[in-house]
Amino acid sequence: MEHIADRFSFALECLFLFASSISNFFRAGEVLPLLAWTYLVFVLLCLMSWSNIRQARHFTMFSFPFSVFNLFIFITLQLSRLVDAQSLGTATTSGQSAATAPAADPSPSQTSPGAVAADGTISSFRPIFTIPAGVDVGASLIPNIEDPEAIDAQTVCPGYNASNVKRTASGLTATLTLAGQACNVYGTDIETLNLTVEYQSADRLAVRLVPSIVASSNISQYILPTEFVHQPTVDADAGMSSLTNDLSFVWSNDPTFSFTVYRKSTGDTLFSTQGTKLVFENQFIEFASVLPENYNLYGLGETIHGLRLGNNYTKTMWAADVGDPIDYNLYGTHPFYLDTRYYKIDESTGNLTLVTSNETDPMADYVAYSHGVYSRNAHGQEILLRPTNITWRLLGGSIDLYFYAGPTQPDVTTAFQTSAIGLPAMQQYFTFGYHQCRWGYANWSQVQEVVDSFERSGIPLENIWTDIDYMNQYRDFENDLRTFGYDEGETFLSNLHANGRHYIPIIDSAIYIPNPLNASDAYPTFNRGNDTGSFLTNPDGSLYIGAVWPGYTVYPDWLSDGAAQWWTNEMITYHGKVAFDGAWIDMSEVSSFCVGSCGTGNVTMNPVHPPFGLPGEPGSVIYGYPEGFNLTNATEAAVASSASSSQAAASSTGEAASSTTPSYLRTTPTPGVREINHPPYVINNVQGDLAVHAVSPNATHADGREEYDVHSLYGLQILNATYNALLATIPGKRPFIIGRSTFSGAGKYAGHWGGDNTSLFAYMYFSISQALSFSLFGFPMFGVDTCGFNGNTDEELCNRWMQLSAFFPFYRNHNTLSAISQEPYVWASVAEASRTAMTIRYSLLPYMYTLFYLAHNTGSTVMRALAWEFPNDPSLAAAETQFFLGPALLVTPVLAQGATTVNGVFPGTGGKGEVYYDWYTHAPQNISTPGANVTIDAPLGHIPVYIRGGYILPTQEPALVTRDARRNPWGVIAALSIEGTASGNLYVDDGESVVQNGTLFIEFTASNNALYASARGTYNDTNPLANVTVLGVQNAVGNVTLNGVSVGEEKVQFNESSQALVVKGLDELTSGGAWGQDWLLSWG
């Protein structure tokens, strides 16, 4: 019996050893194969050793702590810990465009758990380590503007006095010294400043203040290099042209230094610091100017806000990765504003009286003067708009101001672009087609199905995009080989391109750092970048390691010598595997999901899950719908509301709100020392602490600069690098880039989309103001995530939004992971509304392309506020629910849920000389009262569009892709003014080349019952002219001729009620090409 019991006991002991080791063996085999087999040999040796020892001494496993057993337990536990760290797949996250769908590792064994498929179901991925949420929590801070303990620098600082004033050829210079004891309120006061004033051109005045002594050790704190952000300089002909400058600079030392900029022609004060003190410290600069009552300021981005900024608002500028909150700082920094002032003209004297009320007389005559102000500073900053003044508060840098005389918005915008930020990038023709994207396209097959569905639905689709779903564990420049394999992708893209379509992938701004203990986690992109010193570092020189979608990541340092060429090489290498047609740059604020270098010491845990739930994961299921959804879908809304409440209750900590007074970190300045992580002055940053959801301010660049000084330039720099990379990757073609984070000047490289908006009518409303603001910033290529990104959309909202966005230059539908599908073919009514709007858009692509050509060459705008087209009408100062596309097309969308009509104005009508024609009926709109707010029928599926009289529009028959549309016959729509005249133009080239072999520019004029087309250029376009439509023909039409040849009565249609003349079938008469020779169409 003892022998049997002994055998049984031994068997149990062996089973225990085997069971304890076998799971570790298989788990280790997935990620560390060599170590796994070594461990198996060790286990077998342990079993053999234990068998011999036990038989010799009759020990049981649990009766004596034998050293072999202890060694076994130790090794087993250590291997278990290592495998836990290494066998992590990656959880998914997207460009915070807001996040993205689950991607998987090429190896079936390396998948990540809890990821969400496009239909919202949970995948079978196994769990991985999730970074604790607390890593993205910063210090408890209270913004200065909300802090009752904050010191008002104006009450304690001495200001400056000017001396040593000297005239120069272009202006003056002076020395400013502190007018009293240093206050050091939010930094260390700078004792002496240099003032430079330059009349740089006929319409530009520069005012600069910098420390008199700037050493090499701190030059980056004050001087923004012109190679980063262009600095306007004195024009070559300024000696003569500046004599006609309408601006005048005056300074005073009473009681301390101040300056005023006047408009000489009107005597108006445009900018004056009089009555305030200049504060200039190493981490705080403050200057202020008076403003007139009820002023009209526009610009100062990036925020989601009304077009007219108002006089009780604080604009914060610090590039932030955040999901589009209203009124807070967002992704980009644009410290420029347009100031428009209206004056009522006295009929008898001609004297001007400034308008300070929103109530105006529609029968009176007004004149407007606009000017621009640009503050060339990249530091974190706030601009306080108050009823009588504007105050700038900067966290560093210098005062580098540029005043643009105008006096119109087009004058200001053109001068700003040509002198300071550069002209907008010229886009390829295909980029004006429709773009479809979502976070959640799980594989090439799904993407192909989307393309096929557009084709079956007869809805144009030009470009298909993928969010981070396509990536190998969310790593740039690598595809998930199981779902987005290169061979399958080559077939997909070959067919896509053959059918005239294009593909755009997302490229994030952070680079995964591979796990050094896991050979299978190799990532050559990181290795090549690291070898060339291309990444940001900590102050001690070690790699700065944050966290983004793939896990712990590093960040390209665009100030290093190697980063730009490394980025180009990676683009070229990746394009060899995936023939993409453009780049979508995301997360470029630059974003990090943790405070500081949280990955330092933790890289052996890579890959890891972000410190928050992804859309669709437990606790993050999407239940939100647009306003009014409960009215149109009551049952579904009730279910969603109940589920949302349950989710919120389950996520609640149950802790009662504390009644104690919160404790805030307040930094006291140390003389001569900068506190860059927590500067003494706290701006109203949407994330609070500057390091929250961003790379920390103390991250260090290759040239020694700290992120604090250049943080908001990251988006500009990566767009610059990407532009040059695409020139090398796709030689000869204009780079197509859409970027999220931007700075003044980025428009010469890329377009911009409005970020992670929400599926609400409110965000559709604000999209117009966003687009118009970015027109001022030099970004005509702008659009938003149509139908909304966050939350679920619904049929009504998507119907309205698909039609509105059809008149935005960048037209893309995009939504988040696990939200309902919102491709336009999902609902029959949305599909029909989209086809209707896209037919107009694609017909007008020649007009839109011409507008971009003019913007690229002259600095003109594409989308335009009503106030810009009618600058002398003060009633339009805050108009933000309508817009012009170019000068000729007035768009009046429905922006409210449940509405079937929309109110709109027709500027310049009611005896003021303008006429508008309905796009659909061609009939003129009879508006008898100036400034009348007209109610327009707009049932679901209809967007009111009007052609402004006096303009001629080139058209082309639409198609499902722009390639085919460019091969179709031409058309011309001439909308006559009240006087019976009109003009327009058309630009034609090959639609893609950086350098053109030939171009064509056609000018149209209409008068005296004739339409004339005159072309110049060498581009050979052989498409015939199909038809001409003339609107506003007052008299009966007789014989219609083209270059003296009768076109035939059968080709002529005249509608007396709508006063529209349509001439069709001109193809035979223009078979050599519509613009092969000049032509004259006349009607008697």
Side-chain angles (χ1 to χ4, degrees):
M1 284 296 292
E2 181 180 353
H3 180 69
I4 296 175
D6 189 56
R7 285 179 173 272
F8 181 74
S9 176
F10 177 66
L12 285 176
E13 292 164 2
C14 290
L15 181 61
F16 174 82
L17 284 173
F18 182 75
S20 301
S21 58
I22 193 64
S23 62
N24 264 4
F25 168 71
F26 284 117
R27 292 174 63 212
E30 296 174 354
V31 291
L32 304 168
L34 181 60
L35 185 59
W37 286 107
T38 303
Y39 175 71
L40 181 60
V41 172
F42 167 74
V43 170
L44 294 175
L45 290 174
C46 279
L47 288 173
M48 293 171 58
S49 175
W50 178 247
S51 175
N52 294 332
I53 293 169
R54 191 184 187 285
Q55 290 176 18
R57 304 197 181 180
H58 300 285
F59 288 145
T60 61
M61 182 181 297
F62 306 105
S63 63
F64 186 79
F66 192 75
S67 60
V68 173
F69 174 66
N70 286 342
L71 180 62
F72 165 80
I73 293 297
F74 175 79
I75 294 297
T76 299
L77 289 174
Q78 294 309 309
L79 182 65
S80 179
R81 292 178 62 188
L82 183 60
V83 170
D84 283 341
Q86 293 306 310
S87 64
L88 309 174
T90 95
T92 348
T93 53
S94 138
Q96 181 146 332
S97 97
T100 183
D105 187 283
S107 166
S109 63
Q110 287 197 343
T111 52
S112 59
V116 184
D119 61 1
T121 59
I122 304 298
S123 77
S124 59
F125 294 171
R126 62 170 190 236
I128 64 171
F129 177 76
T130 296
I131 302 173
V135 301
D136 203 24
V137 177
S140 179
L141 305 173
I142 181 171
N144 183 277
I145 60 171
E146 299 175 4
D147 188 356
E149 300 180 19
I151 300 173
D152 181 0
Q154 292 296 312
T155 65
V156 298
C157 293
Y160 287 80
N161 285 325
S163 62
N164 195 29
V165 179
K166 297 180 180 179
R167 293 179 182 174
T168 66
S170 56
L172 62 85
T173 62
T175 301
L176 271 60
T177 55
L178 279 174
Q181 185 177 354
C183 61
N184 298 329
V185 61
Y186 295 115
T188 302
D189 282 33
I190 307 300
E191 178 72 26
T192 308
L193 306 173
N194 287 341
L195 168 68
T196 303
V197 178
E198 294 176 333
Y199 291 90
Q200 295 186 334
S201 70
D203 59 0
R204 186 173 72 255
L205 171 69
V207 179
R208 299 193 195 106
L209 279 162
V210 300
S212 296
I213 302 174
V214 179
S216 58
S217 61
N218 66 355
I219 188 172
S220 64
Q221 300 173 20
Y222 303 108
I223 307 302
L224 182 58
T226 191
E227 61 267 26
F228 294 178
V229 178
H230 177 70
Q231 184 177 46
T233 57
V234 177
D235 287 0
D237 63 349
M240 291 299 296
S241 65
S242 63
L243 297 177
T244 62
N245 196 313
D246 199 25
L247 303 179
S248 177
F249 176 91
V250 178
W251 67 275
S252 171
N253 271 342
D254 184 17
T256 60
F257 173 78
S258 65
F259 71 89
T260 301
V261 177
Y262 293 99
R263 184 185 296 279
K264 291 187 288 189
S265 60
T266 64
D268 194 17
T269 298
L270 305 187
F271 196 95
S272 177
T273 67
Q274 193 169 13
T276 67
K277 297 174 184 175
L278 170 65
V279 182
F280 202 119
E281 300 176 342
N282 64 347
Q283 285 195 269
F284 180 74
I285 298 173
E286 180 176 271
F287 58 96
S289 170
V290 295
L291 286 173
E293 181 183 353
N294 202 32
Y295 51 80
N296 306 296
L297 259 59
Y298 312 88
L300 296 177
E302 179 182 8
T303 55
I304 296 178
H305 187 77
L307 177 63
R308 185 185 181 210
L309 298 179
N311 60 13
N312 187 23
Y313 182 38
T314 298
K315 279 272 191 174
T316 304
M317 296 186 188
W318 177 261
D321 170 12
V322 62
D324 281 19
I326 306 298
D327 287 347
Y328 282 93
N329 55 303
L330 296 179
Y331 317 102
T333 292
H334 297 274
F336 167 86
Y337 71 75
L338 175 77
D339 183 339
T340 298
R341 303 180 185 185
Y342 297 94
Y343 299 85
K344 187 175 182 179
I345 303 173
D346 187 291
E347 293 182 359
S348 57
T349 66
N351 291 339
L352 303 181
T353 302
L354 181 67
V355 175
T356 59
S357 170
N358 291 329
E359 300 299 325
T360 57
D361 181 358
M363 302 305 296
D365 290 327
Y366 297 87
V367 64
Y369 289 87
S370 293
H371 68 274
V373 178
Y374 171 47
S375 173
R376 184 177 168 272
N377 185 292
H379 280 79
Q381 55 193 277
E382 283 181 343
I383 299 95
L384 284 64
L385 299 171
R386 299 299 182 260
T388 61
N389 60 73
I390 179 172
T391 300
W392 299 73
R393 292 175 178 170
L394 317 173
L395 297 187
S398 62
I399 297 175
D400 195 1
L401 297 173
Y402 300 86
F403 298 90
Y404 294 90
T408 67
Q409 173 274 323
D411 294 333
V412 172
T413 301
T414 296
F416 177 46
Q417 293 184 25
T418 54
S419 70
I421 63 173
L423 293 164
M426 184 61 185
Q427 302 293 336
Q428 293 189 57
Y429 202 94
F430 81 80
T431 65
F432 300 109
Y434 175 73
H435 304 253
Q436 181 62 50
C437 183
R438 83 157 294 162
W439 181 12
Y441 292 147
N443 49 52
W444 286 125
S445 297
Q446 279 194 15
V447 177
Q448 182 65 62
E449 176 56 29
V450 171
V451 175
D452 294 343
S453 295
F454 272 93
E455 190 83 33
R456 289 192 297 267
S457 302
I459 302 173
L461 173 67
E462 185 76 17
N463 306 282
I464 191 72
W465 298 48
T466 52
D467 210 310
I468 60 174
D469 314 87
Y470 79 88
M471 296 179 179
N472 169 25
Q473 303 182 93
Y474 314 116
R475 306 174 189 188
D476 283 350
F477 310 120
E478 285 191 358
N479 277 27
D480 180 338
L481 297 183
R482 298 182 312 153
T483 54
F484 286 88
Y486 295 126
D487 291 342
E488 185 181 356
E490 183 178 4
T491 300
F492 167 80
L493 291 173
S494 177
N495 292 332
L496 189 79
H497 291 145
N499 290 319
R501 296 188 172 96
H502 305 84
Y503 169 64
I504 316 295
I506 194 172
I507 301 173
D508 279 338
S509 302
I511 300 297
Y512 177 77
I513 180 168
N515 191 320
L517 300 181
N518 182 2
S520 67
D521 200 37
Y523 184 37
T525 290
F526 164 81
N527 296 336
R528 290 188 288 262
N530 199 37
D531 291 343
T532 53
S534 297
F535 301 131
L536 283 172
T537 65
N538 288 302
D540 64 4
S542 62
L543 285 177
Y544 183 99
I545 306 173
V548 192
W549 303 120
Y552 293 119
T553 55
V554 295
Y555 298 87
D557 176 8
W558 305 112
L559 307 188
S560 69
D561 293 333
Q565 187 58 53
W566 160 77
W567 190 252
T568 295
N569 293 342
E570 296 305 314
M571 285 273 195
I572 293 172
T573 300
Y574 183 62
H575 192 265
K577 302 174 184 177
V578 179
F580 58 87
D581 301 289
W584 172 20
I585 302 298
D586 200 12
M587 311 299 289
S588 49
E589 291 70 34
V590 59
S591 175
S592 176
F593 298 159
C594 63
V595 173
S597 187
C598 63
T600 299
N602 293 318
V603 175
T604 54
M605 301 180 71
N606 244 352
V608 294
H609 188 287
F612 49 81
L614 304 183
E617 289 183 344
S620 300
V621 177
I622 296 174
Y623 295 114
Y625 284 90
E627 309 94 325
F629 186 73
N630 59 314
L631 302 177
T632 57
N633 299 268
T635 301
E636 188 175 353
V639 172
S641 177
S642 176
S644 178
S645 298
S646 298
Q647 177 171 264
S651 302
S652 174
T653 61
E655 297 179 1
S658 173
S659 60
T660 61
T661 302
S663 176
Y664 298 111
L665 172 66
R666 292 181 173 90
T667 302
T668 301
T670 301
V673 177
R674 293 201 308 168
E675 174 48 72
I676 60 173
N677 284 332
H678 299 109
Y681 184 87
V682 180
I683 61 174
N684 191 29
N685 179 28
V686 64
Q687 301 285 14
D689 191 320
L690 299 181
V692 170
H693 229 64
V695 165
S696 176
N698 74 341
T700 306
H701 293 263
D703 63 354
R705 292 175 194 270
E706 294 169 303
E707 179 70 2
Y708 178 90
D709 298 310
V710 293
H711 168 79
S712 292
L713 296 179
Y714 199 95
L716 167 66
Q717 292 162 340
I718 192 174
L719 292 176
N720 181 12
T722 303
Y723 184 88
N724 291 315
L726 287 180
L727 285 175
T729 301
I730 312 175
K733 294 187 178 180
R734 304 165 191 152
F736 173 54
I737 310 167
I738 295 295
R740 192 169 75 174
S741 183
T742 59
F743 188 83
S744 300
K748 60 179 173 284
Y749 305 123
H752 176 60
W753 97 102
D756 299 345
N757 62 5
T758 300
S759 296
L760 295 171
F761 280 86
Y763 280 89
M764 179 171 64
Y765 179 101
F766 280 119
S767 68
I768 298 174
S769 295
Q770 286 180 277
L772 295 174
S773 294
F774 270 87
S775 293
L776 296 177
F777 304 149
F779 284 82
M781 193 62 171
F782 179 90
V784 297
D785 282 348
T786 301
C787 300
F789 177 77
N790 286 311
N792 296 305
T793 192
D794 70 1
E795 182 176 2
E796 181 185 2
L797 176 61
C798 204
N799 188 306
R800 294 297 191 188
W801 212 333
M802 283 296 296
Q803 292 206 312
L804 169 60
S805 287
F807 298 93
F808 280 45
F810 178 52
Y811 184 16
R812 185 183 74 165
N813 181 315
H814 177 224
N815 67 323
T816 190
L817 182 67
S818 81
I820 65 171
S821 295
Q822 61 183 42
E823 293 82 5
Y825 53 72
V826 170
W827 302 273
S829 77
V830 178
E832 183 58 31
S834 300
R835 284 189 289 265
T836 298
M838 287 190 194
T839 296
I840 302 174
R841 178 187 181 89
Y842 276 63
S843 297
L844 289 171
L845 285 180
Y847 172 66
M848 186 178 289
Y849 191 69
T850 301
L851 290 175
F852 262 78
Y853 166 77
L854 296 173
H856 174 64
N857 284 276
T858 71
S860 60
T861 53
V862 175
M863 285 182 69
R864 304 178 182 180
L866 272 58
W868 304 344
E869 282 298 301
F870 291 86
N872 298 326
D873 184 350
S875 70
L876 302 176
E880 59 187 12
T881 59
Q882 299 173 265
F883 62 92
F884 281 97
L885 183 62
L889 212 67
L890 176 63
V891 181
T892 307
V894 173
L895 301 172
Q897 190 276 327
T900 57
T901 62
V902 60
N903 291 334
V905 297
F906 293 87
T909 57
K912 295 285 187 176
E914 295 286 340
V915 62
Y916 295 84
Y917 302 91
D918 187 295
W919 172 272
Y920 306 95
T921 68
H922 294 164
Q925 303 303 292
N926 297 314
I927 312 297
S928 59
T929 305
N933 204 3
V934 180
T935 299
I936 304 165
D937 286 334
L940 193 64
H942 176 73
I943 182 169
V945 179
Y946 302 91
I947 306 173
R948 181 179 170 190
Y951 290 92
I952 298 175
L953 299 174
T955 66
Q956 216 162 2
E957 293 181 14
L960 294 181
V961 293
T962 61
R963 178 200 63 187
D964 296 344
R966 281 175 58 87
R967 298 169 179 171
N968 283 342
W970 293 95
V972 175
I973 302 175
L976 300 180
S977 66
I978 291 177
E979 293 79 15
T981 62
S983 62
N985 44 49
L986 167 66
Y987 172 75
V988 184
D989 63 13
D990 69 10
E992 62 180 23
S993 298
V994 175
V995 179
Q996 293 291 327
N997 291 323
T999 63
L1000 199 61
F1001 194 80
I1002 301 96
E1003 293 182 290
F1004 304 104
T1005 57
S1007 63
N1008 301 318
N1009 297 334
L1011 171 62
Y1012 179 55
S1014 174
R1016 62 180 184 270
T1018 60
Y1019 183 80
N1020 184 28
D1021 182 278
T1022 59
N1023 299 316
L1025 177 68
N1027 54 73
V1028 173
T1029 300
V1030 184
L1031 307 181
V1033 178
Q1034 300 293 321
N1035 303 312
V1037 174
N1039 186 35
V1040 178
T1041 63
L1042 181 67
N1043 284 345
V1045 178
S1046 176
V1047 302
E1049 292 184 4
E1050 71 281 2
K1051 297 178 181 178
V1052 178
Q1053 299 175 3
F1054 178 65
N1055 187 319
E1056 292 186 6
S1057 61
S1058 65
Q1059 301 176 340
L1061 168 66
V1062 179
V1063 183
K1064 296 183 177 180
L1066 298 174
D1067 309 59
E1068 293 181 3
L1069 296 176
T1070 58
S1071 58
W1075 326 119
Q1077 62 177 342
D1078 295 351
W1079 50 259
L1080 178 71
L1081 181 79
S1082 62
W1083 57 95

